[in-house]
Amino acid sequence: MEASVELCRSDQLTPGTARGFDPWGTGEDTVFAVRNGAEIRVFRNSCPHQLRPLGWRKDKFLSADGKHIICFAHGARFDLASGLCVSGPCMNQSLVSLECTVDERGIVVLVE
């Protein structure tokens, strides 16, 4: 059964930033949202290389220049728009993208 969960208001995710969320109530950020210009994407917080969380601390999912999502465990870099690994040990593999919408509630993701 699918349900939708509001992650945050859209103005709480400014361009060039990413934030982690725990929509399943597991006690850790299992997904993260990234804003690249006007586009917002939501991905599972799991590197395809070894299925480890990406960030090195809370809400730290982007490279220093803000141009890539980065796995801080292995240095893999992922495209902001597609989640495709463009360098690192999981080259040409992708992060798992989740369907999201932006509406009057904010950034809303479908969860299983």
Side-chain angles (χ1 to χ4, degrees):
M1 179 178 182
E2 289 185 347
S4 61
V5 174
E6 178 188 349
L7 299 180
C8 67
R9 293 188 331 260
S10 61
D11 65 352
Q12 292 176 308
L13 187 65
T14 58
T17 64
R19 286 185 58 192
F21 300 94
D22 181 17
W24 292 282
T26 65
E28 60 186 54
D29 291 339
T30 53
V31 304
F32 67 97
V34 61
R35 175 172 264 178
N36 183 21
E39 182 180 14
I40 295 173
R41 298 290 309 268
V42 177
F43 298 99
R44 287 195 183 268
N45 183 14
S46 181
C47 179
H49 177 229
Q50 291 185 337
L51 305 178
R52 295 179 61 175
L54 294 159
W56 61 280
R57 69 176 198 192
K58 178 74 174 150
D59 299 333
K60 298 299 181 186
F61 298 98
L62 302 182
S63 58
D65 62 8
K67 294 182 179 180
H68 294 95
I69 299 164
I70 191 163
C71 174
F72 286 92
H74 305 104
R77 291 178 178 265
F78 300 88
D79 180 75
L80 290 173
S82 67
L84 179 69
C85 182
V86 295
S87 71
C90 49
M91 186 73 156
N92 296 321
Q93 295 179 344
S94 291
L95 299 173
V96 174
S97 177
L98 299 175
E99 186 178 338
C100 75
T101 59
V102 179
D103 63 20
E104 66 279 350
R105 294 182 291 168
I107 303 168
V108 179
V109 67
L110 291 179
V111 294
E112 301 166 354

